[in-house]
Structures are given as structure tokens and as C-alpha cells.
Amino acid sequence: MIKAIIFDLDNCLSAADDPGAELLEPVFDAIRQANQGTLPDDVLGAALGDCWYHALDFVAKKHDFSDEMLAAGQAVISQTRVSTPMRGYGDLHVLAELRGDPLPMLFLVTSGFRQLQDSKIKALSMEQPFEQWFTGIYIDAVDDPNRTSKQDIFQAILNAHQFCPAEALVVGDNPDSELAAGDRLGIPTVQILRPGVAPPILRLITSAPCTNSKHSLQPRPRKPALEKRYPQPRHRQPWHSRQRQPRIDPLKRTLNCSVPRQRLQIAVEQAARQNGVNFF
Ligand SMILES: [Mg+2]
């Protein structure tokens, strides 16, 4: 039984640009002014676009920002707040129905500058009981001198409630952040492919091989088509009596190709069934 579902915030429950693209424009301006020819315009533009999906220090390292560029961006983003209401993705109401009494508990763990992340949580709570859906909300604050990590926060949640890793789920978008932290702790993880979030193709190559032949990445032996082995009329049932494909809910948009995630999707579905929830 899944007893805890740990959600990421940005690009998982709400788009990073939910408050408007102008949110980070002052940050981008500061970085542009500090660029001083360090990066050509096209590279800098791509780097700034990455800021909507990755932490600023990650982007700076990936795109070779100068120390001055990173410092300029950090100085502004540390003062950035959201003051208008945020609604989150359209399926946010699922959280209220996923939350059980007493289980499963929902947790929110988000990384970023503390005041910005805190203002987003408050903005999401202006028009809906966002904060009340969670048993615990944690900010992995990059500007906190005593910062630990998402992995440490996940472990603390497990310890506090005496859950084992298999009794939890981590739901997020970033394979280098919450999904990696969950993997390291042995917690099943589910990636949500929100608009703009790319599946981590490289993980396919680096995933450990699965011993379950059903989910193996190895080519399976070819079998004769069903009709050749057991000749039957091609259309045995009228079209309207065939089983319909289930509607794909955004929260079910997990990777279907990565071996570990195949198991995780099953885990999510089991979690939903065991708690009487049919959204997955
Ligand atoms: Mg995220």
C-alpha cells in the first residue's frame, strides 16, 4: 500500500511560468547585463529558456555562465516573489481526491530560493485549499546556508512516519532532481511529462536491464500473428462493443519505455486502486 506520495512543484503541479513570463524577466535582464560577451546571444537565449525547467546554478554550470552572470541572476531571483494568484495545472483537483484519511499522505518538496518558492505556494493557495492537501510542505532552499537536499528531506519524511521506501511514491518532472533522489532511496518514482518537459532519453540507455522479459528492452522472439496461429474472423465483435482505450490523465503521463518506470506506473495504479482512486 502506498502511504505517502511526494510531489515536486515546478512543472509538476504548476508551470514554472504560471505567474507569467515576466516573473523572471528582471533575472534575465541582470544576467544579460553581466554577460559582457561571455556567451553569444543564441546560447544565452537558450540558457535563459532553460531557467524555466532547471535551477539557476544548474543552468549556469551547463551553459558556462561567468561567476558574475550567476551572481547577478542569483541576486535578483533571491528577491523575486509571486504576488498574484496561481492556479496550477488543470488537474490539480486530483490531489484532493488522492489524499486519504489517514493514508496516503501527500507531501510537497520543492527546490529553489526560499521566498520565491514560498510565495508560489501562497499564490496557489489563494483560490483553492492548496496547502491543506499536504501533510507536509518542505522547501529545499538553495539560499539556506544549512541546506540539505531533496534526498535528505525524502528520507526525513520516511523516518518521521516510519514508512519504508516501497510505501512511498515520488512524482515529479526532473530526472536530475527529485526522480534521481527517489531512485537513490529506492522510492518508486513517476515522471510527469508536462508541456515542455522532455523524457530523459539517456536514462533508457543507462537503465539497468530488467529480468522480467515482459518489460525487457531486449528484442522479443517473433511469434506468428494471432490470426495465423488461431484463424478466426477478423472482426468478431462489432466496433462499438470493443473495449475503449482509457482516457489519459495528465498525471498518468509517465514514461512508458524505461524499465524502472514501467514498474512504477504499475505501482501508481495499484496505489490508486488500493485507495479507491481511479484517476490513474
Ligand atoms: Mg520540477
Side-chain angles (χ1 to χ4, degrees):
M1 177 181 181
I2 299 300
K3 298 179 178 177
I5 307 178
I6 304 171
F7 289 93
D8 172 47
L9 179 61
D10 290 320
N11 301 314
C12 175
L13 299 183
S14 67
D17 61 354
D18 186 309
E22 62 275 13
L23 177 71
L24 294 184
E25 202 49 46
V27 180
F28 295 164
D29 279 343
I31 294 172
R32 287 190 195 100
Q33 288 182 19
N35 183 34
Q36 301 289 328
T38 304
L39 298 178
D41 288 348
D42 57 336
V43 175
L44 181 57
L48 298 182
D50 268 0
C51 289
W52 293 110
Y53 299 97
H54 298 282
L56 182 57
D57 55 350
F58 178 93
V59 174
K61 189 173 181 183
K62 176 182 173 186
H63 294 278
D64 291 329
F65 282 16
S66 65
D67 292 344
E68 292 75 15
M69 292 166 71
L70 176 59
Q74 287 177 328
V76 178
I77 201 170
S78 66
Q79 302 302 315
T80 302
R81 315 273 186 281
V82 176
S83 55
T84 55
M86 286 172 55
R87 303 193 64 179
Y89 288 113
D91 56 359
L92 214 57
H93 60 89
V94 168
L95 294 178
E97 299 171 56
L98 272 178
R99 190 179 67 138
D101 182 18
L103 300 171
M105 299 176 183
L106 307 188
F107 297 90
L108 179 66
V109 180
T110 177
S111 294
F113 287 81
R114 180 174 295 283
Q115 294 194 55
L116 176 57
Q117 295 311 103
D118 191 53
S119 71
K120 288 180 185 176
I121 293 164
K122 295 215 166 17
L124 283 162
S125 304
M126 287 180 184
E127 296 181 348
Q128 56 199 343
F130 182 76
E131 290 176 87
Q132 295 175 26
W133 291 333
F134 299 97
T135 300
I137 295 177
Y138 303 87
I139 297 177
D140 168 35
V142 300
D143 49 345
D144 184 341
N146 299 316
R147 181 190 184 191
T148 55
S149 66
K150 276 191 173 176
Q151 181 175 332
D152 287 342
I153 295 173
F154 294 173
Q155 185 66 65
I157 291 171
L158 297 182
N159 292 347
H161 299 278
Q162 297 187 316
F163 298 150
C164 65
E167 292 175 321
L169 287 177
V170 171
V171 183
D173 66 293
N174 193 330
D176 298 311
S177 182
E178 61 275 354
L179 301 180
D183 284 347
R184 285 193 293 269
L185 292 173
I187 302 175
T189 59
V190 182
Q191 187 192 34
I192 298 182
L193 300 177
R194 299 296 197 183
V197 176
I201 302 299
L202 285 178
R203 289 175 64 84
L204 264 180
I205 300 168
T206 57
S207 291
C210 180
T211 55
N212 182 343
S213 62
K214 183 179 177 184
H215 295 149
S216 172
L217 293 176
Q218 298 300 319
R220 300 173 65 186
R222 293 174 67 91
K223 291 181 180 178
L226 190 64
E227 292 78 5
K228 288 183 180 176
R229 285 182 285 146
Y230 306 102
Q232 293 182 18
R234 190 167 179 78
H235 297 297
R236 296 185 300 279
Q237 299 173 327
W239 66 272
H240 52 77
S241 68
R242 292 178 204 150
Q243 188 174 12
R244 286 189 172 187
Q245 291 296 314
R247 182 177 64 86
I248 297 177
D249 187 278
L251 276 176
K252 195 186 174 184
R253 295 176 65 182
T254 58
L255 274 185
N256 288 320
C257 49
S258 166
V259 172
R261 298 199 194 289
Q262 281 279 10
R263 292 201 293 266
L264 302 179
Q265 184 171 343
I266 293 169
V268 172
E269 290 168 352
Q270 285 177 342
R273 270 200 301 277
Q274 288 172 2
N275 291 287
V277 179
N278 59 2
F279 289 91
F280 290 104

